[in-house]
Structure formats: C-alpha cells, structure tokens
Amino acid sequence: MDDKAKRQLGELLVDQDKLLEVLSANTQALDEYPELQQHLLLKSQNSIAFRKALRDKTFTKEEYRDAILLRLDWIGYELASSLDLDFLIQRVAALVGSDLESIKTLSIQEIGEANLSKLLHMMGSHIIAHPESNKSRFPWQSVRGQANPAFWRRADLAFDMYQQGYNSHWKLNSAFKDKYDIPVPQSFVRFVRDYGDPRLIPEWTSWKEES
C-alpha cells in the first residue's frame, strides 16, 4: 500500500460517518459482523424511504412482500426452465396423464415433498454454480441460449394478439406461428400477466433498438 492509499485509509478510520457510508455500499461483505450489517441496512436511505412509505400508507407491507414474491416467482420460473425436470414431469404425468388443467390443482403431497425438495436444491445449486447466468432480468436478456431474439423482437405483436383474445399459449402460439412463422415461448403468456405490454418496458425498447 503506497502512502496515498494509507492516508486515505487513515481518513476513513477517523471519520466514522464516512466509513459507514463506504461500508453500506456493500453490506453483503459484512456477514461476519451481523450487528453492524443490520445497523447499516436499517440506516440506509432506501430503508428509510421504505419505512416512510409504510407510514404514509403508500403501500402495505403485504403489498411490498407480494411484489417481491412476484419477482421471485419469475426468477424461479427462469431458473427451473434451465434444469432437467424429467423427474418432475414423469411424476405429474403419472398423476394426471393428458389432463393439463388438473396440474393446476395438484397439492404438495401429490407432487411429492421429496420432488419439490430436489427441485429447490437443484435451483440453489445452479445459482451458486452459475452466477453469471443469473444476471438477466428479462427473457430477451438471457445468456443461457434461451433468449429467442427472433421472437422477442416481435413481442409487441404477440402482446397485441394476446389482447385480441389469444390468451392461452396454445392459441397464441398457433396464431403467431401461422402469421410470422415464429413460435411463441411458453413463458410469454406468463410474462404478459406479470409485466404487461413490452412497449412500456424501457429495457425492451432499448434492446429492440440496439438489436
């Protein structure tokens, strides 16, 4: 460490407020100091803004939680789609056969606690083993070879067809493929329900302009 770096470190050590500001930028690095980590999390500007919004009844804690779960739901779907789920498919097929609608009402016990536990373990292992593949927020940003850019460039057209009544994957895929000769990913209907019109998503509009 050169003299300039030592001087800057010394300035931080004697200026506690500045030191806390620097540390708060990466609280995950403070796992070995849980009390300090918790203090910084509670004192961050975003945490203060969150508590103020609760007091002002901008939203409820339950609504905030539901927004988190909605995002995790999509992340979980994206992660699981990249895994080999034949064991799960075979289990469900043995239960419902060709009755696709019955899948929606299967219980944890019917799917199997061991199967669900295995799935969660696989997802966790994938996150740890492939951190670089978990950075995409939207399907067209995927780096796992599943982005399907030919379709996502026309996602606005697929959304319009969805609004016209083609609101199941089977209907939308058939109509869109007939018109544009491009299949619709199974995740698209879910995407529409979660995010709506892609034209209202800045990440999509900028990606389309650049691609």
Side-chain angles (χ1 to χ4, degrees):
M1 184 183 296
D2 60 25
D3 291 340
K4 187 175 181 180
K6 289 180 180 178
R7 185 173 66 254
Q8 291 176 349
L9 176 60
E11 291 172 357
L12 277 177
L13 292 176
V14 298
D15 187 344
Q16 190 176 83
D17 290 339
K18 184 64 177 178
L19 177 60
L20 290 175
E21 181 183 340
V22 172
L23 291 174
S24 66
N26 185 21
T27 55
Q28 290 183 339
L30 298 173
D31 287 345
E32 295 183 11
Y33 308 94
E35 289 80 11
L36 176 59
Q37 185 183 58
Q38 183 68 9
H39 170 79
L40 292 173
L41 288 171
L42 291 174
K43 295 296 183 181
S44 73
Q45 290 300 312
N46 282 337
S47 293
I48 293 171
F50 164 72
R51 293 195 295 273
K52 183 177 185 301
L54 288 180
R55 289 195 302 271
D56 294 344
K57 301 187 185 305
T58 305
F59 48 75
T60 66
K61 191 174 183 179
E62 288 71 26
E63 289 172 333
Y64 200 81
R65 177 206 62 199
D66 289 347
I68 295 172
L69 292 177
L70 178 63
R71 179 60 188 144
L72 292 178
D73 188 35
W74 180 263
I75 291 173
Y77 178 84
E78 285 286 286
L79 283 172
S81 296
S82 69
L83 304 174
D84 181 0
L85 300 184
D86 281 354
F87 74 97
L88 202 55
I89 293 171
Q90 291 167 6
R91 169 63 178 175
V92 172
L95 293 171
V96 304
S98 61
D99 188 357
L100 199 64
E101 286 298 310
S102 293
I103 296 176
K104 298 177 182 178
T105 60
L106 289 176
S107 66
I108 291 175
Q109 289 72 26
E110 288 172 320
I111 295 173
E113 293 93 336
N115 287 325
L116 290 175
S117 178
K118 179 179 179 180
L119 172 61
L120 293 173
H121 178 74
M122 290 169 64
M123 291 169 67
S125 297
H126 182 83
I127 291 172
I128 294 171
H130 304 90
E132 74 284 351
S133 69
N134 306 311
K135 296 179 181 178
S136 59
R137 180 183 177 192
F138 295 110
W140 59 85
Q141 298 170 327
S142 174
V143 296
R144 296 196 301 268
Q146 299 181 8
N148 193 352
F151 167 77
W152 285 105
R153 288 191 197 98
R154 298 167 178 80
D156 52 336
L157 303 176
F159 176 81
D160 291 341
M161 294 183 73
Y162 178 91
Q163 293 293 90
Q164 293 165 10
Y166 299 95
N167 50 16
S168 73
H169 177 259
W170 184 84
K171 291 179 181 178
L172 182 60
N173 184 56
S174 297
F176 196 83
K177 197 171 182 180
D178 284 345
K179 189 169 184 178
Y180 299 104
D181 196 29
I182 298 173
V184 176
Q186 289 196 356
S187 62
F188 182 70
V189 171
R190 183 187 187 90
F191 170 85
V192 170
R193 291 170 182 166
D194 288 349
Y195 294 103
D197 190 343
R199 285 167 293 212
L200 301 179
I201 302 174
E203 290 90 340
W204 181 81
T205 55
S206 60
W207 172 82
K208 185 178 180 180
E209 290 172 359
E210 295 170 1
S211 62

